[in-house]
Every structure is written in C-alpha cells, then in structure tokens.
C-alpha cells in the first residue's frame, strides 16, 4: 500500500490469493498511487481487480470515509480532489505533534514521518506506530484510545472534503461510492439517517455491511439500512498490517444473501 498499510501491493495480492480471494480492491487513503501495481499483481495471480480509494470527508463535524470502487484512476478530477485532500494531512500532522508535545511527547512529527515516508500521506496510524516505538503505549489500538481520538491530547479536528464532492469525484470517474464502516462514526440516529439520505441524494450507491470493524449485530443493522436506502452492499477487510489488523484478507463472512453485492454494479469495470 502507499498510505498507511505496511505491505506492498504485491505482498497484499499474494496474501489475498493464498486466502482464496477472487476479486479485490486496494483502497489507500486519499491516494491512487498503488493502483497499477495492485492491478498488475492481481492479474498475474488470476484474481479480478477493481480500482479503489478511501476518501476522508467531513460530515456533521466528524470524519467519515467514502470508498470509491471501479473508477478510472487516471481521471483528472478525482486525482485533483485526492491531491487537495492529501494537502491537509501535513499541516494536521504538525498540529498533532505540537499537541502531543504539550502532553510531554516530543518529536512525534519526525517520528511519524519516518513511518509515512511522505508528509502528504501521514496519518494517525503513523503516529500510533511511533508512539508504540517510543514506548508510550504497548500497541496501536491503545494509542488511538489514549491519544488520537476526539478529546484526547493528540487529536486535531480537521475539515476534509465534503460528502458531495467525494461522491461526485467517484461517480464522474465512472465508479461507485460506498459509505465505509458506518458503525464506526459517533453519530446519533438522526445524523446517521442524514448521512445515508444525503449520500444517496448525491449519487452514492453502496454501503459497507461486512467489515473487520463491524460486529455481527452491526452486519444485521447495516444490511437492513442497505435495503431501506436501496443501496448495494460491500465487504471489506480494512486490513492494514499483519501485526495490527484484527481481520485478515478474505476471512470475513459472506454478505447476507438478500443484498446486492457492490461488484454486481461493477462487472464492466473488473480488470
Ligand atoms: P487518518 O486518516 O489519519 O485520520 O487515520 C485513519 C486511520 O486510523 C485508519 O487507517 C484507521 O484504520 C485508523 N484508526 C482510526 N481509528 C482507530 C482506532 N480507534 N483504533 C485503531 N485504528 C484506528
Ligand atoms: Mn476507513
């Protein structure tokens, strides 16, 4: 991956193949730089491939992720949108570092940058890895809990793209927009309803139902929401690293049979 995953696109493809995956998408945050390699690796191993990215947006004051699948990764407009989105990361990272320094943790920007390689792609995950390395916490989940989530010393609110822009970038480039891991957002029922309604109104077509960050009860809840809003369903591991991810590639349960899989909308885009 080229954002905050630890494996290369080729290693991911190998791992997916070994786990029986038939069709997959690499979804780096706000970036499509790994797409060609991922597609070539999938092809070499006889797997289907859809282009992918996971766009950070702000909705009702919270960060939400919108996955794009099957779009043309060379499209100028989506490339420009992703470039602008990445521009905000470097600045946010410096503010996070200042905030951690005020809490007694020095050098976090430089430490996180070492993991990211590129200030444009620096993410909270890289800070989490550095704080584990520095011995502040013993694992990355603990870092998020204590430092990198709202109200904690290293958290810096940030305004990303709008829901409308992200959905339009994806659709205009021939792809399908997907609400990623909806159970992860701290929304009230009203805000969540607004997210789904506005997403649909802007042309969004799918929701992630089965994902490494949902419980079995949440599969059921979002399967119902998919039907209620007439959205197709997707299934995503949210796999970042063998050491950090709870869910390995290709190991999640199948989508409930009553749903339309998102790849059924994208058969013409499978490479
Ligand atoms: P960013 O885009 O920089 O805000 O960072 C998002 C990354 O942080 C994603 O890769 C998530 O998987 C990861 N992340 C967000 N919240 C948590 C959490 N509570 N525990 C572990 N990882 C998280
Ligand atoms: Mn995400």
């Amino acid at each position: 991956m080229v954002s905050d995953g630890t494996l290369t696109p080729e290693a991911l493809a190998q791992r997916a193949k070994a786990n029986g995956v038939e069709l997959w998408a690499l979804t780096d945050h706000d970036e499509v730089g790994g797409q060609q390699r991922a597609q070539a690796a999938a092809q070499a191993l006889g797997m289907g491939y859809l282009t992918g990215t996971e766009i950070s947006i702000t909705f009702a004051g919270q960060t939400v992720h919108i996955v794009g699948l099957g779009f043309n990764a060379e499209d100028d407009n989506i490339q420009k949108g992703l470039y602008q989105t990445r521009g905000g990361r470097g600045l946010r990272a410096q503010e996070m570092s200042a905030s951690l320094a005020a809490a007694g943790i020095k050098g976090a920007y430089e430490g996180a940058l070492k993991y990211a390689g590129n200030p444009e792609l620096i993410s909270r995950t890289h800070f989490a890895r550095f704080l584990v390395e520095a011995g502040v916490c013993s694992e990355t989940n603990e870092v998020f809990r204590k430092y990198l989530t709202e109200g904690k010393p290293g958290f810096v609110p940030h305004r990303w793209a709008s829901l409308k822009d992200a959905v339009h970038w994806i659709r205009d480039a021939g792809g399908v927009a997907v609400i990623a891991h909806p159970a992860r957002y701290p929304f009230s029922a009203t805000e969540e309803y607004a997210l789904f309604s506005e997403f649909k109104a802007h042309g969004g077509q799918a929701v992630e139902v089965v994902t490494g960050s949902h419980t079995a009860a949440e599969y059921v809840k979002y399967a119902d929401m998919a039907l209620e809003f007439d959205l197709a369903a997707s299934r995503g591991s949210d796999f970042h690293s063998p050491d950090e991810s709870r869910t390995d590639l290709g190991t999640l349960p199948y989508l409930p049979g009553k749903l339309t899989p998102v790849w059924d909308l994208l058969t013409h885009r499978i490479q």
Side-chain angles (χ1 to χ4, degrees):
M1 298 197 197
V2 295
S3 59
D4 62 349
T6 62
L7 300 183
T8 62
E10 292 78 18
L12 273 176
Q14 296 274 2
R15 193 176 183 99
K17 180 72 182 175
N19 288 353
V21 169
E22 293 169 12
L23 171 68
W24 67 292
L26 170 67
T27 55
D28 275 309
H29 292 285
D30 311 317
E31 170 62 272
V32 289
Q35 294 302 310
Q36 278 186 5
R37 282 172 64 187
Q39 191 272 327
Q43 191 172 20
L45 294 169
M47 288 181 289
Y49 188 77
L50 285 168
T51 52
T53 189
E54 186 178 14
I55 306 178
S56 314
I57 65 143
T58 300
F59 185 85
Q62 302 291 342
T63 299
V64 167
H65 289 163
I66 300 295
V67 164
L69 294 174
F71 55 90
N72 169 18
E74 307 294 320
D75 179 86
D76 282 346
N77 204 38
I78 194 167
Q79 289 217 349
K80 196 168 124 226
L82 295 176
Y83 175 77
Q84 283 166 354
T85 303
R86 293 196 299 271
R89 285 191 174 270
L91 199 61
R92 180 187 65 151
Q94 303 211 12
E95 291 172 13
M96 286 171 65
S97 185
S99 164
L100 287 167
I105 300 163
K106 308 272 185 253
Y109 177 76
E110 293 72 19
L113 187 57
K114 217 173 46 187
Y115 287 94
N118 175 355
E120 268 193 5
L121 293 175
I122 197 165
S123 91
R124 284 183 291 160
T125 314
H126 302 119
F127 278 86
R129 290 184 188 138
F130 169 68
L131 263 62
V132 170
E133 176 200 311
V136 175
C137 292
S138 59
E139 50 151 16
T140 52
N141 283 334
E142 186 189 345
V143 183
F144 273 92
R145 218 169 43 244
K146 294 187 176 163
Y147 293 98
L148 302 181
T149 36
E150 192 156 359
K152 300 297 160 61
F155 183 80
V156 172
H158 184 76
R159 178 159 282 281
W160 304 102
S162 69
L163 175 65
K164 178 179 174 186
D165 283 348
V167 172
H168 284 201
W169 296 336
I170 296 163
R171 285 217 67 172
D172 292 350
V176 166
V178 187
I179 301 174
H181 44 64
R184 281 246 302 265
Y185 314 122
F187 286 143
S188 65
T190 312
E191 289 166 331
E192 183 174 70
Y193 195 89
L195 171 66
F196 276 68
S197 311
E198 291 181 33
F199 172 75
K200 177 95 186 163
H202 293 312
Q205 292 175 278
V207 57
E208 200 173 43
V209 171
V210 174
T211 142
S213 39
H214 281 180
T215 62
E218 287 161 351
Y219 298 162
V220 174
K221 171 175 174 187
Y222 290 100
D224 288 345
M225 296 272 284
L227 292 175
E228 182 181 349
F229 285 87
D230 191 25
L231 294 168
S234 86
R235 171 171 176 261
S237 66
D238 211 354
F239 179 81
H240 284 68
S241 150
D243 301 328
E244 295 166 9
S245 296
R246 280 164 293 182
T247 308
D248 203 345
L249 303 172
T251 60
L252 285 169
Y254 289 118
L255 288 172
K258 58 188 177 177
L259 304 179
T260 303
V262 66
W263 48 88
D264 280 5
L265 308 182
L266 287 163
T267 48
H268 60 297
R269 310 285 307 183
I270 296 174
Q271 295 175 284

